Amino acid sequence: MAYYDRVLSQRGSLPYDIDGVVYKVNDLNLQKRLGLITRSPRWAIAHKFPAEQAITELKNIVIQVGRTGVLTPVADLKPVNVGGVLVSKATLHNEDEIRRKDIRINDLVIIQRAGDVIPQIVGVKLEKRPVLSKPYLFPHTCPVCGSHAIREEGEVARRCTGGLICEAQAVERLRHFVSRQAFDIDGLGEKIIQEFWDDGIVRSPADLFRLEENDKKNLKPVRAREGWGDTSARKLFDAINARRTIELERFVYALGIRQVGEATAKKLAKNYHTIQALMAELEAAAKTDSEAYAKLIDIDDIGPSVADDLVGFFSEAHNKDLLNDLLSYVTVEPYVAPDIGDSKVAGKTVVFTGTLTTLSRDEAKAQAERMGAKVSGSISSKTDYLVAGEDAGSKLKKAKELGVTVLTEDEWSKLIA
Ligand SMILES: [Zn+2]
């Protein structure tokens, strides 16, 4: 402890940062006998110094927007020396943290540095609080693009809904837009997108489709860029032009709406058929008592949270402008249902239960959907068929009570053959 105290007293005058001392057994034979556990030796132990603290003024709370749209509050501090390091910024984590600690602009705050971690605000000197101080109001709009910033239930983070129009998120969104499952445009890697963005030639997805036209007008032509030439520019334009017509589900996926992956995009395409219908219906679904909302929620796997993200996206004015701009260059093909011939189960609702012997549950489900049936997880009076495998239990009982037609796996196979 005397050694520890001595090093602690020297801490401020050392030419480097330390956060404690390490005690070691200084006998090599004993070290061998003590041995190692997964990540550390049993013959050494760290004894940390208390975190260094200082008091300073919180000048402002600045909101930073990350690549995924998360709004993060950062404290802008009057610079203060904390254990030999000048600190002028500290993290505030999120809006709950600010509320819990009741941190307000112009407060005197206690700053702490622990190890090499970003400085934190431990608390507020309440007795020094200015009389007219008001609680901090976390913004509900994005400071970068002005779109709504929403916070979903159960989440601590508030996110910008601006997506493609938000500069903080745009490069990431553009990368997603051209990715393989989306517009699938070859030759547009992250580095090139970033360069195009920095030079201002691609700021939105629609700009991609204007590149060639701008090239002809000699407006910052791609062919004149470093590392490019006529051939490589031509190749890029060809790749872009090949995508001026696109399937609805790819188009929806490419928009990068939160919680809307390939599977959800496909379901939306299947249920709304055209981009025009989809845009109109999802905008109408902003009213939760509307028919449009009921229809949206009725789609398999779309719950209130996904519905919120969808409605949020399609009712944002910026996004509508962006979509209309994009649609003046891109033709979105209406969804075409697979040809199911004279399927006997088209439009029927089917429930599978018990253990199937010839197919896995997923295969059976996919097969039924290919034949135009709707597969549901629970029995109701709307169920047309219950396909009961081995050891069918409560669903079979309920189906019988409701008078739903019960089929064996074999009978089902014959029905869809
Ligand atoms: Zn934004």
Side-chain angles (χ1 to χ4, degrees), residues 126-330:
L126 286 174
E127 67 277 15
K128 297 281 174 64
R129 171 167 283 168
V131 194
L132 295 173
S133 137
K134 285 195 198 93
Y136 177 71
L137 288 178
F138 202 92
H140 286 202
T141 52
C142 171
V144 175
C145 71
S147 301
H148 297 301
I150 60 164
R151 183 173 167 182
E152 268 153 33
E153 239 179 86
E155 288 204 20
V156 287
R158 189 171 282 281
R159 283 170 201 269
C160 166
T161 56
L164 285 161
I165 66 107
C166 182
E167 182 170 344
Q169 303 168 64
V171 172
E172 178 62 23
R173 294 296 188 99
L174 282 165
R175 196 197 53 70
H176 173 84
F177 186 84
V178 302
S179 68
R180 193 149 310 278
Q181 298 81 14
F183 266 71
D184 191 18
I185 298 174
D186 269 345
L188 276 178
E190 187 166 352
K191 195 168 152 267
I192 293 173
I193 289 178
Q194 185 69 56
E195 285 172 14
F196 283 8
W197 169 271
D198 292 341
D199 275 0
I201 60 173
V202 176
R203 285 284 163 99
S204 84
D207 287 339
L208 289 170
F209 297 95
R210 285 190 274 262
L211 277 176
E212 186 175 8
E213 163 189 333
N214 288 338
D215 242 49
K216 284 182 191 144
K217 293 185 204 148
N218 258 328
L219 290 169
K220 293 194 182 177
V222 173
R223 62 186 137 76
R225 301 180 65 82
E226 206 187 308
W228 291 78
D230 286 342
T231 318
S232 49
R234 184 70 258 150
K235 226 173 127 186
L236 176 63
F237 300 150
D238 286 346
I240 292 170
N241 290 338
R243 286 300 179 179
R244 285 182 190 257
T245 299
I246 189 164
E247 301 98 305
L248 177 56
E249 58 200 76
R250 274 181 182 270
F251 185 85
V252 173
Y253 174 73
L255 298 175
I257 304 164
R258 221 168 97 72
Q259 302 196 74
V260 179
E262 284 175 272
T264 306
K266 194 166 187 169
K267 280 176 187 157
L268 290 166
K270 208 165 152 182
N271 280 276
Y272 294 103
H273 306 288
T274 66
I275 185 64
Q276 287 74 19
L278 187 126
M279 284 165 67
E281 294 248 14
L282 291 185
E283 203 188 328
K287 289 200 183 80
T288 48
D289 59 353
S290 63
E291 226 170 89
Y293 185 79
K295 176 176 173 175
L296 177 60
I297 285 290
D298 204 40
I299 300 173
D300 248 8
D301 297 333
I302 292 189
S305 161
V306 180
D308 261 9
D309 283 336
L310 281 165
V311 167
F313 182 90
F314 285 95
S315 36
E316 189 77 59
H318 297 304
N319 288 334
K320 282 191 245 179
D321 291 347
L322 181 140
L323 277 164
N324 289 329
D325 188 16
L326 191 53
L327 289 171
S328 62
Y329 297 97
V330 174

Side-chain angles (χ1 to χ4, degrees), residues 19-36:
D19 67 350
V21 297
V22 177
Y23 306 122
K24 295 181 181 177
V25 172
N26 63 352
D27 178 318
L28 293 177
N29 284 323
L30 289 177
Q31 284 190 4
K32 270 196 203 109
R33 281 178 63 190
L34 284 159
L36 304 168

